[in-house]
Amino acid sequence: MFEQMKEITYKKEAEFLSPYACFSQNTAGRDRPEESCPMRTEFQRDRDRIMHSKAFRRLKNKTQVFLAPQGDHYRTRMTHTLDVMQIARSIARVLRLNEDLTEAIALGHDLGHTPFGHAGERTLSRLSGGKFRHNEQSVRVCEVIEKDGRGLNLTKEVKDGILNHRSGGKPSTLEGKVVMFADKIAYVNHDIDDAIRAGVLKEGDLPKGYISVVGETPTKRINNTILAIYEKSSGKPFVEMDEKMATAMAELRKFMFQNVYTEKSGNSENERADRLLEILFNRFAAHPEEMPEFFVGLMDKYDKVTVICDYLASMSDTYAINLFNDLFVPKRWVVL
């Protein structure tokens, strides 16, 4: 019965998906061969493994843009990931691509992201001599860190999409390219909303020429960008965006980097986060034995800087702050 369910999925894909889609039955497989699931395709299994991983659960306490926000409505790395997944599935659906593969890549694309958002990634990149990149770390989480070092053993297509979701990446599947676009659509759109809520931007600050193209509201921006991809890519062996929309999105993204994502943006907690991570980094560089046993054991295979970055990147904002307090903030004496 279960095998029949999987065969039905394969049949539906053959009948409905674009000839340029990545078919579940044609996966290149995993690094370690496994017995197949009687019910789920390999991409469905990857989606489930990512959702049940510790790294995925920690995303709920990792900053997207604004550190320690006062309020429940700011995005976290978890809500960003769910936004990317929803947008990516919408694009995959209209282009008749493999939604299960798209969903798995989207859910895993930020597993290796640091605490404290963009500020945290800049800090670890600086301290590692430019070697730390969150997309590469996301793959490392899947291969080396999850399940006490056994990794998630994901399919090659999912790992490729995770690795190549950043600008300039070259995914081997159209589903990976969809996630690359969905990531930018999601963060530009919701980061504008959070920046206005935080008082970093006002509606009038947004570049009107580009907003008029992309859309005046969050809903219009998402709908318009998806439509611009559909009109350019439907029935084609590529995933691209209409040139006018692509230019407007690139300029809007540039505006956000200049006014929201950098230290000059008024996001005043970034400097404190940078100092906190640097102090922790230096502590473990001098005393690596103070890291958890699992990370100490990784130093048998990997250099110390890489392993310290593994440990720091795995932390949620809350964990990093609490650890810093435990190590460096004096405790009050209690006299009974």
Side-chain angles (χ1 to χ4, degrees), residues 155-166:
T155 58
K156 292 174 179 166
E157 291 86 356
V158 171
K159 289 195 297 181
D160 172 83
I162 292 172
L163 179 65
N164 287 286
H165 79 269
R166 293 187 71 176

Side-chain angles (χ1 to χ4, degrees), residues 11 18 33 39 43 106 114 119 145 167 185 192-193 243 252 277 281 305 310 324:
K11 185 177 179 181
S18 160
M39 181 172 60
F43 298 146
T114 61
I145 297 174
S167 297
I185 294 169
I192 287 174
D193 187 37
E243 291 181 12
L252 196 53
L277 287 176
F281 182 95
V305 169
D310 285 338
F324 179 87

Side-chain angles (χ1 to χ4, degrees), residues 29-45:
R30 308 177 188 277
D31 291 338
R32 300 192 305 274
E34 296 180 7
E35 184 177 349
S36 65
C37 174
M39 181 172 60
R40 296 168 297 164
T41 70
E42 297 307 310
F43 298 146
Q44 290 170 345
R45 296 175 79 190

Side-chain angles (χ1 to χ4, degrees), residues 8-77:
I8 289 171
T9 300
Y10 290 153
K11 185 177 179 181
K12 285 182 177 179
E13 288 184 1
E15 292 174 349
F16 175 75
L17 294 187
S18 160
Y20 307 114
C22 183
F23 293 84
S24 299
Q25 200 167 11
N26 297 335
T27 174
R30 308 177 188 277
D31 291 338
R32 300 192 305 274
E34 296 180 7
E35 184 177 349
S36 65
C37 174
M39 181 172 60
R40 296 168 297 164
T41 70
E42 297 307 310
F43 298 146
Q44 290 170 345
R45 296 175 79 190
D46 282 2
R47 173 203 60 205
D48 296 346
R49 289 180 185 189
I50 290 168
M51 286 196 70
H52 290 294
S53 68
K54 294 177 181 177
F56 184 79
R57 293 196 294 274
R58 287 195 297 268
L59 296 178
K60 69 180 183 294
N61 287 319
K62 289 191 176 188
T63 290
Q64 169 62 16
V65 174
F66 294 97
L67 280 61
Q70 299 301 307
D72 295 332
H73 298 147
Y74 290 89
R75 271 73 172 191
T76 65
R77 190 62 56 179

Side-chain angles (χ1 to χ4, degrees), residues 59-227:
L59 296 178
K60 69 180 183 294
N61 287 319
K62 289 191 176 188
T63 290
Q64 169 62 16
V65 174
F66 294 97
L67 280 61
Q70 299 301 307
D72 295 332
H73 298 147
Y74 290 89
R75 271 73 172 191
T76 65
R77 190 62 56 179
M78 171 74 81
T79 57
H80 162 72
T81 295
L82 296 177
D83 284 348
V84 173
M85 179 196 72
Q86 178 269 321
I87 293 169
R89 288 203 67 149
S90 295
I91 298 171
R93 186 167 299 169
V94 297
L95 294 181
R96 295 190 297 121
L97 300 176
N98 192 316
E99 291 184 48
D100 292 326
L101 172 57
T102 303
E103 184 176 27
I105 296 169
L107 289 172
H109 83 281
D110 269 356
L111 289 181
H113 218 296
T114 61
F116 310 122
H118 300 281
E121 181 170 17
R122 285 195 297 271
T123 301
L124 292 194
S125 178
R126 174 173 61 81
L127 295 172
S128 66
K131 295 180 181 179
F132 183 90
R133 298 175 181 87
H134 83 269
N135 58 317
E136 295 173 2
Q137 188 67 19
S138 295
V139 175
R140 184 167 168 80
V141 167
C142 296
E143 292 183 335
V144 175
I145 297 174
E146 271 295 316
K147 291 193 173 181
D148 299 320
R150 299 189 303 277
L152 299 178
N153 197 28
L154 301 178
T155 58
K156 292 174 179 166
E157 291 86 356
V158 171
K159 289 195 297 181
D160 172 83
I162 292 172
L163 179 65
N164 287 286
H165 79 269
R166 293 187 71 176
S167 297
K170 296 180 179 179
S172 63
T173 65
L174 297 190
E175 289 80 2
K177 194 68 180 288
V178 164
V179 174
M180 179 191 293
F181 275 110
D183 185 35
K184 294 175 181 58
I185 294 169
Y187 72 65
V188 168
N189 191 43
H190 61 51
D191 291 352
I192 287 174
D193 187 37
D194 281 355
I196 291 171
R197 179 177 289 110
V200 173
L201 291 178
K202 297 186 175 98
E203 288 279 0
D205 295 332
L206 299 173
K208 291 182 175 56
Y210 302 123
I211 286 293
S212 67
V213 174
V214 180
E216 301 286 344
T217 67
T219 299
K220 288 181 179 179
R221 286 194 283 270
I222 292 174
N223 288 344
N224 289 344
T225 47
I226 291 176
L227 181 61

